[in-house]
Amino acid sequence: MDITIHYAFLPQTDPDATLAFYRDLLGFEVRNDVGYDGLRWLTVGPPGQPGTSIVLHPPAVDPGITDDERRTILELIAKGSYGAVTLATPDLDGLFERLQAADAEIVQEPTDQPYGVRDCAVRDPSGNLIRINAAA
């Protein structure tokens, strides 16, 4: 069986700040920027990898969600407990320095994990946890 991960979804609460983080800081290319009914969806991905994208979507816009549920979802996003993704780069320390210099919210500095991975962790502008592994 040949199967790939094509899209992953993360919520975003500020499209301009999200774009600055994923495009300008991480170097992702913008694949789609769609506005609809006052809301904005962004699709980004690593250059040279057109088959892998992250869709950054407005959270809790389903009309079936109650105001209490919407508030809970937004609180979980802000705490980094709602969405997460793990990226990889051959230059973990260089990327971490760039994230730190740009005042990204640092969760963990580059660390050799006991399970064999060297990684760091930051939050994107919406609060999503972004773990970044050192690629071999």
Side-chain angles (χ1 to χ4, degrees):
M1 176 183 289
D2 184 14
I3 190 166
T4 61
I5 296 174
H6 193 64
Y7 293 112
F9 290 76
L10 289 175
Q12 55 83 11
T13 56
D14 181 336
D16 292 327
T18 296
L19 200 53
F21 181 83
Y22 285 92
R23 181 193 59 203
D24 304 338
L25 199 50
L26 294 182
F28 282 6
E29 60 188 22
V30 177
R31 307 232 169 101
N32 217 342
D33 187 341
V34 177
Y36 175 75
D37 200 22
L39 301 172
R40 193 168 163 201
W41 283 257
L42 303 163
T43 304
V44 298
Q49 298 178 44
T52 302
S53 299
I54 298 173
V55 179
L56 301 151
H57 62 90
V61 295
D62 185 322
I65 294 175
T66 67
D67 288 341
D68 285 343
E69 292 167 334
R70 184 171 291 109
R71 187 174 25 260
T72 298
I73 289 169
L74 292 173
E75 288 171 359
L76 289 171
I77 292 169
K79 291 181 178 178
S81 301
Y82 190 80
V85 68
T86 300
L87 309 174
T89 179
D91 184 17
L92 177 64
D93 293 315
L95 178 56
F96 180 78
E97 287 176 16
R98 196 166 68 225
L99 290 163
Q100 194 171 36
D103 291 327
E105 183 180 345
I106 305 299
V107 176
Q108 173 206 299
E109 295 186 3
T111 303
D112 293 319
Q113 301 292 353
Y115 43 86
V117 173
R118 179 170 171 77
D119 68 356
C120 71
V122 298
R123 294 194 197 288
D124 74 7
S126 298
N128 297 302
L129 182 63
I130 311 297
R131 297 201 71 85
I132 305 169
N133 291 355

